[in-house]
Amino acid sequence: MIKEIATKAFGDQKPGTSGLRKKVGVFQQPHYVENFIQAIFDSLEGFAGATFVIGGDGRYFNREAIQTAIRIAAANGVGRVIVGQGGILSTPAASNLIRKYKTFGGIIFSASHNPGGPHGDFGVKYNIGNGGPAPEGVTDVIHAKTQSIALYRIADTADIDLDSIGTVAVEGMTVEIVDPVADYRLLMETLFDFDRLRALFASGFRMRFDAMHAVTGPYAKAILEGALGAPAGTVVNGTPLPDFGGHHPDPNLVHAKELYDLMMSPDAPDFGAASDGDGDRNLIIGRGIFVTPSDSLAALAANATLAPGYASGLAGIARSMPTSAAADRVADKLGIGRYETPTGWKFFGNLLDAGLATICGEESAGTGSNHVREKDGLWAVLLWLNILAVRRDSVLAIMQDHWRTYGRNFYARHDYEEIDADAARGLMQHLRDQLPNLPGRRLRNARVASADDFAYDDPVDRSRSTGQGIRILFEDGSRIVFRLSGTGTAGATLRLYIERYEPDTARHGMATGDALADLILIAGDLSELAARTGRDAPSVIT
């Protein structure tokens, strides 16, 4: 039976660039999830009888939200939904299912790299038919619908069994429970040389993959230990848990410290990697070397043709504005297009759909290609493995060769988390007020070439995005970038990005902190950071 339930609008259901993210307790409020899912369907046209993908990263409240989404989909005339077994679907795997089966769209429950558990975070986002995150035009409509909603439609049925592969009916709608890994593994086999990767592991190559008790555990076990023959135990923390084992599923040097310590030890394996809560981010560490996400993007692009899926070359490389310019130097040398976009994977989607870019990446550990329309953590790991299998060099040797060829972009990101939102906005306005007077000024030993509040003109749909972050560019190719992030659920997060370009090979071995010291001081002086935020050090340095 279909019910129409009277409800009232909530005032804070505004999705950001990564969907709607709140504390679990907010989502557990009566009607909250129902309102947002109904608002999604109220925002769409022509989906009667169509197919949707539904899944999530396994965090706390994932199963309950999926059951609700299934009932609301059935009540709104959806013909079929594809759901990952156990409610599990990594974000890139969901994007692949949307694309492979040409579904109308998909609903993904995740708060990405944010912590889980009863007191942690939860999230939901809508992906469109190309497999990518909904553009602002769609999310704005969804938000508007949440502000005016008066009722939602829901099937009055019992929970279905999410753990048994097969099909069931819910009020005339077909629910297909699928193996969450199978289609994703088939896609990876078309991109990478699995025979060569099997030979790499058979030769004694060792790696450690930390799934962080998040969604990529089943994928990594099936592909690395199953299809490729890596020794049992290569994947650690491989069982998805609702609270991620009490840990923070963000693959950075703070939350993956155990992996970092191992890779810097005398007993380090050849290669280390990790992925995050929903499987769209990656951490790459070689024996004795952490590869920054910006450097990883550049190295993957420079070596991509070693993998079968990219043997014919790249159309272009795209990076988010805060990501270092290392990838630009690769694009210039290859003579292909290069694109600098705002933060948010949806901006890459237009470039990928138009065939302008092949590989994209963000400094926040997200890398991907035109195989899906999301960043893809395990994809990045497999591409690194393919490069290692062909070159038979260490990660350190590959990066040293890369820097000799392109120069080195020393780079770091300083995160100031959960600071007062008004103070953060005041700091950004203080910087904006200085922008007209910065070009030509010498700050310590560096002369400013230009300074702006980054705006992006999309070459595909001609849309314009403004206010994307403060950029201060120096004549020697160095940069300082300030940006407020929308991925947290409490306070504001200020991100400071510092980059120094060094063409001199003799200086490539210096410590990153030493290379960036002057720029960090300049950033602090210009922004009055300590005085305005009350912080004398960042929460996290990546």
Side-chain angles (χ1 to χ4, degrees):
M1 181 174 64
I2 305 299
K3 287 186 173 182
E4 292 188 347
I5 308 294
T7 187
K8 63 180 180 179
F10 290 90
D12 61 349
Q13 288 185 312
K14 183 169 177 59
T17 58
S18 301
L20 181 69
R21 291 184 187 170
K22 302 288 181 183
K23 293 296 183 182
V24 168
V26 174
F27 277 93
Q28 288 176 319
Q29 295 177 87
H31 311 302
Y32 196 90
V33 173
E34 291 87 346
N35 276 13
F36 193 77
I37 302 302
Q38 183 64 57
I40 291 175
F41 288 115
D42 287 348
S43 304
L44 306 176
E45 296 180 354
F47 63 83
T51 299
F52 285 76
V53 169
I54 299 177
D57 60 14
R59 67 178 58 232
Y60 189 87
F61 197 59
N62 185 61
R63 284 175 173 261
E64 294 89 336
I66 288 174
Q67 297 281 3
T68 297
I70 290 171
R71 293 189 184 100
I72 292 180
N76 280 272
V78 171
R80 173 174 171 244
V81 293
I82 302 172
V83 183
Q85 184 182 24
I88 293 292
L89 273 181
S90 75
T91 293
S95 180
N96 176 52
L97 288 176
I98 293 169
R99 293 172 61 78
K100 180 172 181 176
Y101 295 107
K102 297 180 173 57
T103 75
F104 195 96
I107 297 170
I108 301 173
F109 293 101
S110 171
S112 188
H113 55 294
N114 292 6
H119 305 293
D121 297 337
F122 194 75
V124 56
K125 70 174 184 173
Y126 177 66
N127 279 33
I128 59 176
N130 76 343
E136 287 180 349
V138 175
T139 58
D140 287 346
V141 174
I142 294 172
H143 177 237
K145 294 293 184 182
T146 68
Q147 303 303 291
S148 60
I149 191 169
L151 64 85
Y152 60 83
R153 290 175 290 279
I154 190 166
D156 185 14
T157 57
D159 285 352
I160 66 168
D161 180 3
L162 294 176
D163 296 310
S164 298
I165 291 176
T167 60
V168 296
V170 176
E171 290 292 339
M173 181 184 76
T174 299
V175 180
E176 184 177 357
I177 309 297
V178 301
D179 180 339
V181 176
D183 286 297
Y184 180 85
R185 171 183 163 174
L186 291 173
L187 177 63
M188 294 302 105
E189 289 177 349
T190 69
L191 300 175
F192 305 114
D193 188 341
F194 271 36
D195 288 338
R196 182 162 279 188
L197 294 180
R198 278 188 282 267
L200 177 69
F201 283 111
S203 72
F205 180 89
R206 296 186 302 135
M207 77 171 286
R208 172 71 62 88
F209 182 90
D210 189 347
M212 307 190 85
H213 285 304
V215 78
T216 50
Y219 296 84
K221 285 184 178 180
I223 294 174
L224 297 176
E225 295 184 5
L228 301 181
T234 294
V235 177
V236 298
N237 301 321
T239 301
L241 298 175
D243 65 348
F244 305 117
H247 300 296
H248 196 138
D250 189 351
N252 61 37
L253 298 185
V254 173
H255 302 302
K257 187 177 185 299
E258 183 176 343
L259 175 64
Y260 176 81
D261 289 345
L262 171 66
M263 296 306 299
M264 300 300 130
S265 74
D267 297 324
D270 300 285
F271 185 60
S275 191
D276 72 325
D278 70 330
D280 65 358
R281 301 183 185 220
N282 69 90
L283 171 69
I284 302 297
I285 311 180
R287 184 187 292 126
I289 179 174
F290 159 61
V291 184
T292 69
S294 293
D295 268 349
S296 181
L297 169 64
L300 290 176
N303 292 277
T305 55
L306 299 179
Y310 308 95
S312 61
L314 309 180
I317 305 170
R319 64 169 177 86
S320 64
M321 180 273 287
T323 304
S324 94
D328 296 1
R329 303 184 187 282
V330 175
D332 290 345
K333 190 174 184 65
L334 295 177
I336 60 177
R338 60 178 171 96
Y339 304 90
E340 182 180 28
T341 76
T343 297
W345 205 260
K346 61 189 176 186
F347 293 101
F348 294 143
N350 278 351
L351 299 172
L352 295 169
D353 285 347
L356 296 176
T358 305
I359 286 183
C360 308
E362 297 179 328
E363 50 70 37
S364 55
T367 327
S369 84
N370 58 355
H371 69 290
V372 291
R373 293 298 180 267
E374 293 275 7
K375 47 188 177 276
D376 189 347
L378 191 52
W379 168 90
V381 173
L382 291 169
L383 181 49
W384 262 105
L385 286 171
N386 205 134
I387 293 165
L388 292 166
V390 174
R391 293 189 54 164
R392 291 289 177 159
D393 285 326
S394 67
V395 174
L396 176 61
I398 287 172
M399 290 312 307
Q400 289 174 333
D401 179 63
H402 184 90
W403 296 329
R404 283 192 295 270
T405 302
Y406 300 98
R408 183 171 184 182
N409 289 68
F410 288 95
Y411 184 85
R413 186 182 92 185
H414 292 193
D415 290 356
Y416 294 81
E417 298 175 338
E418 297 187 5
I419 61 176
D420 180 79
D422 289 337
R425 286 190 289 268
L427 181 149
M428 295 296 286
Q429 187 58 52
H430 173 67
L431 288 167
R432 290 190 186 96
D433 292 342
Q434 299 180 70
L435 291 177
N437 303 318
L438 286 178
R441 281 185 57 185
R442 181 172 289 279
L443 304 175
R444 295 186 182 265
N445 295 320
R447 185 181 297 277
V448 178
S450 64
D452 63 11
D453 194 348
F454 179 62
Y456 176 68
D457 294 300
D458 194 298
V460 180
D461 65 15
R462 306 302 177 187
S463 63
R464 181 172 176 81
S465 300
T466 60
Q468 297 297 311
I470 304 297
R471 297 189 304 176
I472 303 167
L473 288 75
F474 296 90
E475 290 179 347
D476 65 355
S478 300
R479 300 192 312 159
I480 295 172
V481 173
F482 293 86
R483 177 177 165 269
L484 293 182
S485 171
T487 60
T489 58
T493 295
L494 174 69
R495 302 201 196 280
L496 167 61
Y497 310 86
I498 313 103
E499 176 178 2
R500 172 185 166 187
Y501 177 64
E502 180 53 70
D504 186 350
T505 303
R507 296 179 180 177
H508 288 172
M510 75 172 73
T512 297
D514 294 338
L516 301 177
D518 281 352
L519 292 170
I520 293 171
L521 292 173
I522 291 170
D525 291 344
L526 278 178
S527 64
E528 301 177 354
L529 197 154
R532 289 178 175 274
T533 67
R535 302 287 182 87
D536 57 7
S539 310
V540 179
I541 297 177
T542 303

